[in-house]
């Protein structure tokens, strides 16, 4: 059942920002009791929820649950879909690589029935890092393996090694390399973050001069893309990926009829990241957290921000203390907002989506913004006998902007 509550939330948030985040507005205080629209529902086991890119695979996961299978096996079945898909550039095979052109993967999982966890970070050459995180859980006395050690362990466990860069992502990476985008320099949380606004622009940029400069840059990039051999119809999409490094990940949480729960998250992380950067998806408590006495949660979006609020764990703990899935998720999002003292000049550049499932089958999908793009709202996919994708409830109205901010979002990219 979907409950309509979005309007109320948006008003509440506008109120909270208007009064500053140090104080609570009346609206903010009462966020837990009004109507809003979006993915908020109650259902019953078996139920499985995941990020939007799991839509084509969730049926298989649901069937495992339905036939009495293990909850982590069900979640893994969903997650393997995008990992195996060379056209999903956010996960596994065909994920966008790091700065050096190497696909570097993160994943973690939690198995509720046995209260165990496994995680891997910065892994090369192994496509199914979700399964690898499970292998760490099943076959070691550790929880978290990274880099070379994780890859050696994978080989020992019989995982095939393969080059995860496809011809298409290799060419996009070449375009990135040849046109010098990078992640070096102050990030959004640095007090000097505004220096970044000036980079690439001459003196004080006006909206017009920035657009003019963007046009020239895109023209130049088109020439480079042509030389590299990127097909004409793919050039703008490739340029967009280079200018605005995309994110993308998949999380899945599952609940069976016995009340058992598990969760798993996997990603190739931020495109063009600095080699060695590990995001939230590898971190138990940030990208995924499951306690089947309470519920399970996972995240996609700005990994750095999610790490700082230990998002998935925060949400599960909030539910433990009585919050609904919606309120628990909204609270985690507000912690991100609090980390920036409500500075919308910076918050507009980040986004975060949480997928939340409580042990009684209640669920919610929440996000900081409505989407990256007005035509592509953030969604949570649910299967409880009926497969559906529902728009998340967003804390802020509108869509996030692209980071880095050298240029405004190009209208035609
Ligand atoms: N959270 C992922 C990371 O930071 C990226 C994403 O979900 O889009 O690596």
């Amino acid at each position: 059942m979907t409950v309509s509550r979005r309007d109320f939330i948006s008003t509440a948030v506008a109120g909270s920002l208007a009064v500053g985040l140090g104080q609570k507005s009346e609206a903010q205080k009462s966020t837990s009791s009004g109507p809003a629209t979006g993915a908020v529902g109650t259902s019953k086991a078996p139920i499985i929820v995941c990020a939007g890119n799991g839509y084509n695979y969730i049926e298989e996961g649901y069937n495992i649950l339905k036939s009495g299978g293990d909850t982590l096996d069900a979640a893994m079945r969903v997650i393997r879909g995008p990992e195996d898909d060379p056209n999903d550039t956010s996960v596994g095979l065909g994920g966008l690589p790091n700065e050096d052109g190497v696909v570097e993967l993160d994943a973690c999982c939690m198995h509720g029935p046995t209260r165990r966890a496994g995680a891997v970070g910065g892994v090369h050459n192994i496509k199914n890092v979700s399964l690898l995180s499970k292998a760490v859980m099943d076959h070691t006395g550790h929880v978290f393996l990274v880099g070379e050690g994780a890859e050696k362990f994978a080989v020992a466990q019989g995982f095939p090694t393969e080059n995860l860069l496809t011809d298409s992502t290799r060419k996009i990476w070449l375009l990135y390399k040849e046109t010098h985008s990078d992640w070096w320099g102050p990030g959004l949380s640095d007090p000097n973050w505004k220096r970044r606004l000036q980079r690439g622009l001459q003196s004080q940029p006006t909206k017009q001069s920035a657009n003019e400069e963007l046009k020239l840059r895109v023209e130049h990039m088109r020439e480079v893309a042509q030389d590299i051999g990127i097909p004409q119809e793919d050039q703008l999409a490739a340029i967009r990926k280079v200018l605005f490094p995309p994110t993308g990940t998949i999380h899945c949480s599952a609940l069976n009829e016995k009340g058992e729960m598990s969760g798993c998250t996997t990603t190739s992380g931020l495109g063009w990241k600095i080699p060695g950067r590990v995001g939230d998806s590898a971190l138990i408590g940030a990208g995924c957290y499951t306690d089947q006495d309470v519920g399970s949660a996972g995240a996609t979006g700005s990994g750095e921000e999610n790490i700082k609020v230990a998002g998935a764990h925060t949400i599960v703990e909030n539910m433990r203390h009585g919050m609904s899935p919606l309120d628990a998720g909204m609270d985690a999002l507000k912690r991100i907002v609090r980390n920036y003292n409500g500075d919308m000049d910076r918050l507009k550049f980040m986004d975060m989506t949480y997928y939340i499932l409580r042990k009684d089958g209640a669920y919610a999908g929440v996000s900081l913004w409505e989407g990256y793009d007005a035509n592509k709202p953030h969604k949570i996919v649910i299967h409880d006998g009926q497969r559906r994708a529902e728009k998340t409830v967003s804390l802020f109205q509108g869509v996030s902007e692209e980071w880095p901010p050298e240029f405004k979002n190009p209208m035609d990219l």
Side-chain angles (χ1 to χ4, degrees):
M1 186 185 71
T2 304
V3 183
S4 293
R5 302 196 0 161
R6 171 180 278 172
D7 293 342
F8 181 82
I9 293 287
S10 301
T11 317
V13 170
S16 73
L17 292 171
V19 297
L21 290 153
Q23 320 146 37
K24 275 190 172 176
S25 70
E26 282 314 301
Q28 192 185 15
K29 281 181 202 160
S30 54
T31 338
S32 54
S33 56
T37 50
V40 183
T42 52
S43 185
K44 62 182 180 50
I47 174 172
I48 183 163
V49 301
C50 70
N53 48 349
Y55 189 83
N56 291 336
Y57 312 100
I58 200 165
E59 184 87 37
E60 288 179 52
Y62 178 77
N63 288 340
I64 292 177
L65 286 183
K66 192 75 193 152
S67 56
D70 181 73
T71 45
L72 189 54
D73 289 344
M76 295 270 170
R77 180 63 64 87
V78 178
I79 277 193
R80 273 193 73 166
E83 278 183 343
D84 289 342
D85 178 0
N87 297 316
D88 187 323
T89 57
S90 68
V91 185
L93 177 66
L96 285 177
N98 66 17
E99 240 181 14
D100 291 346
V102 180
V103 181
E104 206 165 79
L105 305 175
D106 297 339
C108 72
C109 67
M110 288 193 89
H111 187 241
T114 55
R115 300 188 178 277
R116 289 179 303 153
V120 290
V123 178
H124 302 169
N125 304 317
I126 308 290
K127 179 176 62 171
N128 297 119
V129 279
S130 57
L131 293 173
L132 184 56
S133 72
K134 184 173 184 300
V136 171
M137 180 183 89
D138 286 338
H139 301 291
T140 76
H142 304 310
V143 167
F144 196 2
L145 295 182
V146 298
E148 215 183 302
E151 190 178 333
K152 277 190 189 157
F153 171 74
V155 171
Q157 291 296 321
F159 282 77
T161 58
E162 59 195 298
N163 179 7
L164 302 177
L165 203 60
T166 60
D167 195 48
S168 159
T169 50
R170 183 182 60 79
K171 286 177 176 161
I172 302 171
W173 172 72
L174 277 179
L175 180 65
Y176 155 75
K177 268 316 223 195
E178 292 193 20
T179 51
H180 304 297
S181 295
D182 60 52
W183 276 102
W184 297 97
L188 264 179
S189 54
D190 189 290
N192 293 319
W193 73 280
K194 279 196 174 158
R195 263 190 295 170
R196 191 62 191 267
L197 290 171
Q198 262 75 49
R199 195 196 289 190
L201 296 174
Q202 310 305 317
S203 49
Q204 280 294 332
T206 61
K207 208 170 172 182
Q208 244 173 355
S209 66
N211 280 343
E212 201 46 44
E213 180 149 348
L214 174 64
K215 249 171 83 186
L216 289 176
R217 187 152 169 192
V218 169
E219 268 170 38
H220 165 67
M221 290 178 83
R222 260 199 185 273
E223 284 165 20
V224 179
Q226 187 67 31
D227 285 353
I228 290 171
I230 298 177
Q232 202 161 9
E233 63 276 15
D234 297 337
Q235 287 175 2
L236 277 180
I239 290 169
R240 190 178 174 86
K241 286 191 169 91
V242 169
L243 286 177
F244 305 114
T247 56
T249 292
I250 177 161
H251 167 79
C252 184
S253 282
L255 167 69
N256 69 13
E257 274 158 328
K258 289 187 262 178
E260 294 169 340
M261 298 190 85
S262 293
C264 180
T265 302
T266 182
T267 192
S268 55
L270 230 35
W272 333 128
K273 62 191 171 186
I274 296 172
R277 178 262 190 192
V278 173
D280 60 327
S281 310
L283 304 184
I284 299 290
C288 178
Y289 194 77
T290 306
D291 178 343
Q292 67 179 27
D293 292 347
V294 179
S296 181
T300 62
S302 307
E304 279 70 11
E305 304 314 326
N306 190 36
I307 290 171
K308 288 185 282 183
V309 299
H313 182 261
T314 295
I315 289 168
V316 172
E317 290 311 298
N318 282 343
M319 292 195 291
R320 191 192 305 280
H321 295 116
M323 282 191 194
S324 68
L326 173 67
D327 289 344
M330 282 293 164
D331 174 71
L333 293 170
K334 285 177 188 168
R335 291 178 194 220
I336 293 175
V337 174
R338 176 65 187 86
N339 281 345
Y340 287 90
N341 293 320
D343 178 359
M344 296 307 286
D345 285 346
R346 289 195 269 179
L347 289 164
K348 69 183 179 187
F349 291 119
M350 59 190 77
D351 213 342
M352 200 66 233
T353 301
Y354 291 118
Y355 311 87
I356 307 162
L357 181 59
R358 204 169 56 186
K359 67 168 184 179
D360 61 354
Y363 65 87
V366 302
S367 53
L368 197 58
W369 295 96
E370 290 174 48
Y372 298 119
D373 177 319
N375 300 318
K376 283 195 212 139
H378 294 307
K379 287 186 179 162
I380 178 174
V381 181
I382 302 121
H383 203 321
D384 52 7
Q386 190 203 354
R387 179 178 66 162
R388 57 197 184 275
E390 295 181 2
K391 276 194 213 172
T392 56
V393 178
S394 68
L395 186 64
F396 299 139
Q397 280 181 319
V399 297
S400 54
E401 287 187 22
E402 306 278 13
W403 175 265
E406 272 88 330
F407 304 105
K408 294 296 285 177
N409 294 357
M411 304 63 52
D412 53 352
L413 279 188

